[in-house]
Amino acid sequence: MSQLNFMMITASPDVAAFIEQHDVARIFMDQEVLGKAERQGHLDTHKAAHSLEEIAAVAAVLKSAELMVRLNPLNASTREEVEGALDHGAQRLMLPMFSSRAEVGRFLDTVNGRVPVTFLAETAASLVRLPDWLDLLTPGHDEVHIGLNDLYLSMGLGFLFEPMAGRLLDPAAALLAQADVRWGIGGIARIGQGELPAETVLGEHVRLGSQWVILSRAFHAGAATSADLLETLDFPAEIAKLRQAESHWRGAETAALLDNQRELADCAYRLGSRGGV
């Protein structure tokens, strides 16, 4: 199994150029606004739409990292959104908030193979129906990312890691592995941060076979320049800590990974019972 790949949301060409030199394989830009504030208004998530000009500015500086743009859920302007993102340098598109095979097919038809697509499975319906739409994806090209923020909200839960706690993602992980479709889960903070430690979350990524994770706002504090980023944290050192923790779990026995899953579950359920953090 290859190592976990990191992606990070930023509209700063300066930050993007810096982090791609420090083990960030994908720059994530975000144009999703439809319905997002209503769903996630109380959460510390990215909600401002990146402009096409910002996308082009980031695209112009990247040398190795892939540039992915999340669009709005399918709507009357989807074709225009697709063309705009591609014209301004997007190398991968992400579709959020879909729930059916028909929506997956419509989006793939619109993109027409010009770039790979990551399907953001973030509703209970999209996960339950994964066996129904997964065959539409091209292995090695298209990917799936399981979005925990909207998933836990759609399930009426109190904390975003509760679906992972209940091992609800295990069947999806097995299906994705069988289909040879690359995939990832949610985001991660710095090692030692948060009431649910990042090292515990990393253990679950390894156990499940996840290949992608987002460096969350808790990791980078939304830094707008590389100088701001380095004032906030020693970015290369924090990435190295994640890699060290990942290496530990990759060398662990199955029993240790299951023990870690139970620790994650105990913590996530405790936090969920009081409405999260």
Side-chain angles (χ1 to χ4, degrees):
M1 173 68 69
S2 60
Q3 68 179 7
L4 197 60
N5 298 288
F6 301 134
M7 57 177 136
M8 186 171 129
I9 296 177
T10 184
S12 164
D14 178 41
V15 171
F18 176 77
I19 64 177
E20 75 165 353
Q21 298 175 51
H22 295 284
D23 207 11
V24 174
R26 181 175 291 165
I27 306 301
F28 183 168
M29 299 194 72
D30 194 5
Q31 293 203 299
E32 183 191 8
V33 290
L34 295 181
K36 192 168 186 180
E38 291 80 0
R39 301 190 316 270
Q40 297 188 10
H42 61 298
L43 302 178
D44 183 20
T45 56
H46 183 269
K47 302 181 188 72
H50 293 148
S51 69
L52 293 175
E53 291 72 26
E54 286 174 315
I55 291 168
V58 170
V61 304
L62 294 181
K63 293 180 168 55
S64 58
E66 181 183 53
L67 177 56
M68 179 176 76
V69 177
R70 173 165 58 185
L71 303 180
N72 280 303
L74 281 171
N75 66 90
S77 299
T78 292
R79 183 170 296 278
E80 180 182 338
E81 291 181 23
V82 167
E83 301 304 328
L86 296 183
D87 287 348
H88 288 78
Q91 297 169 307
R92 173 179 291 272
L93 298 177
M94 175 182 268
L95 180 69
M97 294 304 294
F98 67 94
S99 61
S100 69
R101 179 183 177 90
E103 290 171 289
V104 171
R106 279 172 54 200
F107 193 71
L108 287 171
D109 286 347
T110 303
V111 177
N112 196 27
R114 288 172 289 175
V115 295
V117 173
T118 293
F119 287 90
L120 183 57
E122 54 184 341
T123 64
S126 64
L127 272 186
V128 169
R129 293 169 176 165
L130 178 65
D132 187 47
W133 56 263
L134 186 56
D135 67 293
L136 295 177
L137 278 56
T138 302
H141 185 73
D142 302 316
E143 296 178 359
V144 173
H145 197 82
I146 297 173
L148 296 179
N149 278 315
D150 275 301
L151 183 61
Y152 94 88
L153 293 173
S154 78
M155 291 179 167
L157 300 171
F159 183 53
L160 77 165
F161 285 104
E162 286 191 84
M164 194 179 272
R167 297 187 63 171
L168 299 184
L169 307 185
D170 286 46
L175 280 169
L176 288 156
Q178 184 178 9
D180 200 26
V181 170
R182 288 167 61 85
W183 66 285
I185 314 166
I188 198 161
R190 286 176 242 165
I191 294 296
Q193 270 196 345
E195 294 187 76
L196 179 55
E199 48 269 45
T200 304
V201 176
L202 270 177
E204 266 299 86
H205 277 267
V206 171
R207 187 185 71 83
L208 290 166
S210 162
Q211 291 143 302
W212 284 95
V213 67
I214 302 165
L215 300 178
S216 69
R217 286 179 63 83
F219 188 97
H220 57 79
T225 68
S226 58
D228 290 342
L229 187 66
L230 290 171
E231 279 185 19
T232 304
L233 71 158
D234 184 339
F235 190 86
E238 293 298 336
I239 292 291
K241 289 178 187 177
L242 287 178
R243 288 295 183 210
Q244 185 177 13
E246 179 189 2
S247 178
H248 164 76
W249 289 121
R250 292 207 183 278
E253 300 288 337
T254 299
L257 290 169
L258 289 171
D259 284 344
N260 180 71
Q261 195 282 328
R262 285 188 283 271
E263 283 187 30
L264 181 146
D266 288 345
C267 185
Y269 288 141
R270 185 174 68 253
L271 294 169
S273 69
R274 67 181 206 223
V277 292

